[in-house]
Amino acid sequence: MNAIETLQFNCSTCPSECLLTVEVERDANGAVAAVRSVAGNSCPRGDKFAHQELTCPMRVLTTTVAVSGGDEALLPVRTAEAIPLALHAQAMALIRGVVVEAPIRMGDVVLPNLLNTGIDLIASMDIDPA
């Protein structure tokens, strides 16, 4: 039989940060087999967030890449949208080798379709030529 567990964590979809109480069913390996109930959310987004967080957590990845020929040595970058947290290490391994050529503008695509997620890695600031 699967184990039932009650978890508590805050929803981060809006400034209310509701404290969610979530009942989950775990399989023999300890993985979440099912989300049985979600309570404490003041809007429907809390329910959706709890299910997402426990089955495939998503985060925006932020980091820096090297710049060639620019007035800065590093360019802050981020994914345009959240990607699965499970892909972050693989994404960082790929991003570590990236060097962008100045000039670059905020919002420019640095890496399109990162790891076939359909999400672009974009510049978070402007860099002018040196």
Side-chain angles (χ1 to χ4, degrees):
M1 180 172 146
N2 289 347
I4 305 300
E5 184 181 348
T6 301
L7 306 171
Q8 283 197 315
F9 53 88
N10 289 87
C11 176
S12 60
T13 56
C14 76
S16 297
E17 292 190 345
C18 298
L19 180 62
L20 305 177
T21 301
V22 184
E23 191 175 271
V24 296
E25 190 177 320
R26 292 196 184 271
D27 64 19
N29 298 324
V32 174
V35 175
R36 295 169 64 109
S37 69
V38 178
N41 52 311
S42 59
C43 75
R45 289 182 296 180
D47 185 71
K48 183 179 178 204
F49 174 80
H51 282 82
Q52 180 76 66
E53 189 64 14
L54 292 166
T55 57
C56 179
M58 305 282 280
R59 299 286 186 281
V60 170
L61 175 65
T62 60
T63 187
T64 56
V65 296
V67 176
S68 173
D71 61 358
E72 299 284 344
L74 293 173
L75 170 70
V77 294
R78 66 178 176 82
T79 52
E81 294 173 38
I83 63 170
L85 198 53
L87 292 179
H88 280 214
Q90 191 181 348
M92 285 303 299
L94 177 67
I95 293 165
R96 256 183 223 105
V98 172
V99 178
V100 296
E101 195 69 40
I104 193 150
R105 296 288 156 247
M106 190 181 325
D108 285 358
V109 174
V110 174
L111 279 177
N113 190 19
L114 184 64
L115 298 176
N116 296 314
T117 58
I119 309 294
D120 296 336
L121 186 71
I122 61 173
S124 295
M125 77 179 233
D126 295 343
I127 298 215
D128 294 316

